[in-house]
Amino acid sequence: MNASYAIVAFPLAGSILLLFGGRLIRQPFSGWLATFAAFASFGASVYVWASMLGRPASDRHADLGLFRWMPVADLHVNFGLYADQLSILWCLFSTGVGALITLYSIGYMKGDPGFSRFFFYLNLFLFSMVVLVLADNFLFTFLGWEGVGYCSYGLIGFWFDRDSAAVAAKKAFVTNRIGDFGFMIALFFMFEHFRSFNFSAVLFPLTAHHAVLAGTTATAIFLLLFLGAVGKSAQIPLYMWLPDAMEGPTPVSALIHAATMVTAGVYLVARAAPILHFSPDSQWIVASVGAGTAFLAATIACKQDDIKKVLAYSTISQIGYMMLAEGSGDYPAGIFHTVMHAFFKGLLFLAAGSVIHALHDEQDMKRMGGLFRYLRVTGVCFLFGFLALAAIPPFDGFWSKDQVLAAAWHKSPALWALGVAAAGLTAYYMSRQFMLVFTGQARWRDQAAEHGAAGHAAVGGSAAGHDALEPHEPPLTMLVPIVVLAFASLFGWLLNAPFGGLDFISRWLAPVFPATIAPAVHVATGTKWVIGAVAAGMAFLGLFFGLGAWRGGVVDRPALEPAFLEHGWYIDESIAVAVSGPLATAANAASFAVDAGWVDGLINGVARAAAQTGRQLRRLQTGYLRNYALGIGLGAAAILFYMTMRAGG
């Protein structure tokens, strides 16, 4: 279990070496160093998991101290790691998928001037994430939480010379601060009630029913924690930052959306399950926010033309499913979907990055088309990820989403209906994306022809060498992670299959979520078949409708692409107007009252006084020697008089 230290140490060491030696470690060696650190962290996670398998289920945890951080009066906060089934499972898929993304980045970021800086951020991001999930107290968790937020700011705005990237980074930072404010207030309430931040004092007595928590207290603490989760996991109403996060390099999008940052909120809700158990109202809020987010984001994704923004809104929607499961009381189902989502969403983003790489940074799907001929491996792998996300059997998403929807049915048929509707929309917008990118006419070629030789250079090289430089598969450093994740998207569901005793994740997590805090979700077998068939039917309906509507090289379907969906129901724009309007008015008022009135007045007043003093003193400069001699004489007389008076005193 002491290998848990290594899970944290490897990415930390990698980030430190790249921070201080980045100028000396040239590319691609800085990329390989970061990749080694990420894979070593994953290897340590596997080692700890394997050691847990050799222990009884009730003994698969360890509290590993580091050092005392904050001893103040009766507040004693330690830096310590808590390795249990939940934290190690999170480490496994975070470091595993994160390592593949880091390997992919070596090829994707080749030649970028900020190559070493990029990999420093990747290792620091991974370090912050494993600190978040391995921390043994909520305050240490918050430290990792803020570290993830800082790294996302640096990575989203990595190309900071682009105004859009700088604005997107600031938007992500500010939006997450709103959620983090809730997390901090929750910590204050927590210490006031428990006199501690440690899981051993806050959570474990509640899990074992050695202590109870008043409903009002539980609701206050949990909803404030949930505000933090809503910000970090991009749920209603704090989801607006995530689509704009696409301004970062594509591996950043994969890391944020699949393996690390957005799953942090899901982890926090799962870890705080003992508190949530004592607040039924909070359970309803979590489930409702999840279902509403899943449906809303799925509708917006139906009319996005940027290949990465479709996947961004899809992430928001899928995180909604995870929250729906946790609010419905089936934590293993939500975590199962989290793991599967890491596989197929990581795959989709990396495959999308290969497409963007092949088309020299083109991201508009309506300028793509016909790419399956040139990107066969990428196309097949993207198809696997698309079918997994669309919940088409036998791919991952079918099995995990089915368990989420069964839990939603147990909670409320209305929440289940929203989830099923979102499933149909998911299959539709992913079908649209696949058809626009990989089938139909090669619109990227038409784009090049319209712009002549310059267009050819932008898309596929010079006009003379265009055929030789047409879109092609990426290098192996990019292709291998895509293929690995494609296999995981096809077979990953075997980690928690609902038959044959293959429900490994559910059994693995059972000691973390005992019946005392997570009563079993019971849905009759016949009902499961019916609601499962309805959900699968809706997914197939969305699939075939999307394939049919966008076949044959169709690019525009006005009836299926209303403007309000393109603008995200105008929610983001309305919030921007509501926030920026009063802020701009207040800023202008402050500028007039403070800047113009006080600051400028003071500075200008000093300047005017200096100028006036100079003009008065200038009158003494007459140019006549007798005036200067008279002045010297009067001055000498005054000094002599002063000295005489002092001597007389």
Side-chain angles (χ1 to χ4, degrees):
M1 298 295 284
N2 287 330
S4 301
Y5 292 122
I7 301 174
V8 177
F10 278 115
L12 176 61
S15 62
I16 291 174
L17 288 174
L18 289 170
L19 175 62
F20 294 104
R23 294 180 180 274
L24 301 176
I25 308 173
R26 302 294 182 181
Q27 56 175 297
F29 301 109
S30 54
W32 286 110
L33 172 62
T35 302
F36 170 78
F39 273 104
S41 182
F42 172 65
S45 301
V46 172
Y47 184 77
V48 174
W49 167 74
S51 71
M52 284 183 168
L53 288 177
R55 296 176 171 221
S58 59
D59 192 35
R60 291 172 178 169
H61 57 84
D63 206 336
L64 308 169
L66 289 174
F67 56 87
R68 176 156 290 183
W69 174 28
M70 193 182 297
V72 181
D74 58 347
L75 171 63
H76 300 279
V77 181
N78 297 327
F79 272 158
L81 305 182
Y82 183 71
D84 69 345
Q85 293 92 328
L86 178 62
S87 59
I88 292 303
L89 177 61
W90 230 274
C91 286
L92 283 170
F93 76 80
S94 293
T95 58
V97 177
L100 291 173
I101 293 169
T102 308
L103 174 62
Y104 175 95
S105 301
I106 295 174
Y108 192 89
M109 298 300 292
K110 181 180 179 181
D112 192 285
F115 190 85
S116 295
R117 175 168 57 92
F118 180 82
F119 284 95
F120 156 72
Y121 273 123
L122 286 191
N123 267 186
L124 188 62
F125 205 132
L126 197 58
F127 163 73
S128 299
M129 188 65 191
V130 295
V131 164
L132 190 158
V133 300
L134 283 172
D136 70 344
N137 65 79
F138 280 101
L139 191 57
F140 196 13
T141 295
F142 186 70
L143 190 66
W145 188 273
E146 289 300 294
V148 168
Y150 164 73
C151 293
S152 68
Y153 172 78
L155 288 169
I156 294 169
F158 181 76
W159 289 317
F160 53 83
D161 53 336
R162 302 179 184 176
D163 184 62
S164 57
V167 170
K170 287 185 287 186
K171 185 175 183 179
F173 189 83
V174 171
T175 306
N176 274 272
R177 295 295 73 73
I178 297 172
D180 295 351
F181 176 76
F183 198 149
M184 287 190 293
I185 301 301
L187 292 177
F188 300 153
F189 275 115
M190 190 179 296
F191 183 73
E192 175 65 24
H193 184 80
F194 296 100
R195 311 309 297 174
S196 176
F197 299 115
N198 290 339
F199 297 159
S200 58
V202 177
L203 300 179
F204 302 157
L206 299 176
T207 302
H209 266 208
H210 294 155
V212 296
L213 193 59
T216 303
T217 304
T219 300
I221 294 175
F222 183 83
L223 287 184
L224 287 166
L225 288 174
F226 185 57
L227 179 58
V230 163
K232 198 68 73 183
S233 292
Q235 299 292 282
I236 293 173
L238 300 179
Y239 68 90
M240 298 82 63
W241 67 271
L242 197 59
D244 290 351
M246 299 302 96
E247 290 294 337
T250 300
V252 174
S253 305
L255 192 64
I256 291 176
H257 289 250
T260 55
M261 184 168 173
V262 295
T263 66
V266 181
Y267 170 82
L268 183 63
V269 172
R271 181 58 80 189
I275 300 174
L276 179 58
H277 171 67
F278 289 93
S279 176
D281 291 340
S282 297
Q283 296 172 12
W284 274 102
I285 291 173
V286 173
S288 300
V289 167
T293 304
F295 179 76
L296 178 68
T299 63
I300 298 174
C302 292
K303 177 51 186 97
Q304 299 301 310
D305 295 334
D306 186 310
I307 187 173
K308 288 168 65 177
K309 281 199 173 182
V310 173
L311 299 178
Y313 279 107
S314 169
T315 296
I316 297 171
S317 180
Q318 297 306 305
I319 299 293
Y321 277 106
M322 301 167 203
M323 293 295 186
L324 173 59
E326 293 188 325
S328 300
D330 196 340
Y331 297 98
I335 295 168
F336 177 35
H337 194 58
T338 303
V339 177
M340 298 302 101
H341 178 262
F343 294 156
F344 58 69
K345 187 54 64 65
L347 164 62
L348 287 169
F349 267 111
L350 297 188
S354 293
V355 170
I356 296 168
H357 184 268
L359 295 182
H360 293 252
D361 298 329
E362 180 60 72
Q363 293 184 202
D364 189 339
M365 297 188 300
K366 293 188 175 179
R367 296 182 180 181
M368 297 181 182
L371 288 174
F372 197 84
R373 172 185 173 188
Y374 304 94
L375 306 174
R376 292 290 177 87
V377 176
T378 298
V380 170
C381 292
F382 191 97
L383 179 64
F384 278 26
F386 145 44
L387 294 175
L389 175 56
I392 302 300
F395 293 89
D396 288 354
F398 169 76
W399 303 97
S400 60
K401 195 173 291 185
D402 184 63
Q403 294 186 23
V404 170
L405 292 175
W409 176 269
H410 178 265
K411 187 71 173 178
S412 165
L415 296 177
W416 171 84
L418 276 177
V420 169
L425 291 171
T426 302
Y428 164 74
Y429 67 68
M430 288 306 300
S431 303
R432 173 180 178 266
Q433 183 175 51
F434 184 82
M435 298 298 284
L436 286 174
V437 174
F438 290 101
T439 69
Q441 299 176 351
R443 294 179 297 279
W444 51 269
R445 192 187 297 275
D446 297 337
Q447 191 75 13
E450 290 176 5
H451 293 84
H456 282 294
V459 178
S462 66
H466 179 66
D467 290 338
L469 295 175
E470 287 179 333
H472 55 83
E473 294 287 7
L476 281 178
T477 52
M478 295 172 64
L479 205 57
V480 168
I482 292 174
V483 173
V484 171
L485 289 173
F487 275 97
S489 298
L490 179 58
F491 298 111
W493 61 273
L494 292 172
L495 291 172
N496 205 48
F499 55 80
L502 297 176
D503 55 339
F504 173 77
I505 291 179
S506 295
R507 288 185 286 109
W508 176 257
L509 295 174
V512 182
F513 305 109
T516 53
I517 63 167
V521 174
H522 292 294
V523 179
T525 303
T527 304
K528 279 186 178 180
W529 278 100
V530 172
I531 62 176
V534 171
M538 184 63 75
F540 276 109
L541 180 63
L543 174 72
F544 292 128
F545 180 74
L547 295 176
W550 297 95
R551 74 181 188 279
V554 175
V555 177
D556 294 304
R557 290 276 189 189
L560 298 176
E561 298 181 311
F564 71 89
L565 291 184
E566 182 178 4
H567 291 272
W569 295 85
Y570 295 100
I571 296 173
D572 195 1
E573 297 169 9
S574 300
I575 293 175
V577 170
V579 172
S580 63
L583 282 179
T585 302
N588 291 332
S591 174
F592 177 77
V594 178
D595 191 34
W598 295 355
V599 178
D600 288 351
L602 178 62
I603 293 174
N604 293 335
V606 171
R608 283 193 295 269
Q612 185 64 25
T613 302
R615 282 193 292 269
Q616 296 302 322
L617 291 174
R618 188 173 58 186
R619 295 182 179 181
L620 300 176
Q621 307 300 317
T622 63
Y624 294 111
L625 184 60
R626 59 181 179 272
N627 292 347
Y628 298 154
L630 177 62
I632 292 172
L634 292 174
I639 293 172
L640 180 61
F641 177 76
Y642 173 75
M643 297 299 294
T644 301
M645 295 299 294
R646 285 186 59 85

